[in-house]
Amino acid sequence: METIISPSLLSADFMHLDREIEMINESDADWIHMDVMDGVFVPNISFGFPVMNAVGKVCKKPMDVHFMIVHPENYIQQTADSGAAIMSVHSEACLHLHRTIQEIHKAGMKAGVTLNPSTPVAMLEDVICDIDIVQLMSVNPGFGGQSFIEESIRKVARLRELIARTGSKALIQVDGGVQAETAPRLVNAGVNVLVSGSYIFKSPDPLKTISELKRLRPSVAL
Ligand code: DX5
Ligand code: ZN
């Protein structure tokens, strides 16, 4: 299976978002990853619907929106209206995760569930067959440019085991510290979707960096 690349807009140049979206439109990226933060669930604030709506109008790649907010269930319809294809919520932020997944589907989007580094994969045991994407945080959420948490590689293996055992069709997505050294190891561990922010946007040639990530394939049979 092809590796799906989702560049994280958080590390883009916000003074020139039009150029950055143009770059993503022309690139080999599959999706565009957008990080919404509220300063409550995570200790940082990013952007919200005005930016998502504007990007949704010009970006040709499906919007993969990662909500790091409390009560993401209150914003499902607004997210669908912005043109988002994927809405990912944190399991730690959802008291009624099963209902939230159902509502995301009802609004016509793919449902992603994100786990913080300290949240075990076992939390998803009873919903894994209802989820389109499981996003593992390989840094503590809130900031770009942090160091990759090594345990994430073993966590991918545990998630693969859960997916295989239950027959779930969920894709495995990893977010945080994805760069030249960690990306091939993640793909070898069975990751389907790589989110990458600072490594792509701070590189001298983001188009080339995206193409290189896109070419990664598992070097061992999975
Ligand atoms: C962090 C965000 C990430 C962030 C990743 O909370 O969810 O999407 O942009 O940034 P890098 O790739 O720089 O670690
Ligand atoms: Zn993210």
Side-chain angles (χ1 to χ4, degrees), residues 31 41 49 53 58 65-66 73 78 84 97-98 110 149-150 162 178 216-217 221:
W31 302 344
F41 182 73
F49 289 105
N53 292 336
V58 292
V65 187
H66 174 194
E73 68 277 6
Q78 247 180 299
L97 183 59
H98 184 271
K110 297 226 181 283
I149 297 172
E150 220 20 71
L162 175 65
V178 174
L216 291 174
R217 295 285 180 280

Side-chain angles (χ1 to χ4, degrees), residues 79-92:
T79 304
D81 292 344
S82 77
I86 300 153
M87 177 165 180
S88 285
V89 297
H90 271 259
S91 79
E92 305 87 0

Side-chain angles (χ1 to χ4, degrees), residues 8 33 35 66 68 135 137 175 195:
S8 171
H33 184 87
D35 292 296
H66 174 194
M68 285 160 273
Q135 174 167 254
M137 290 310 301
D175 183 8
V195 175

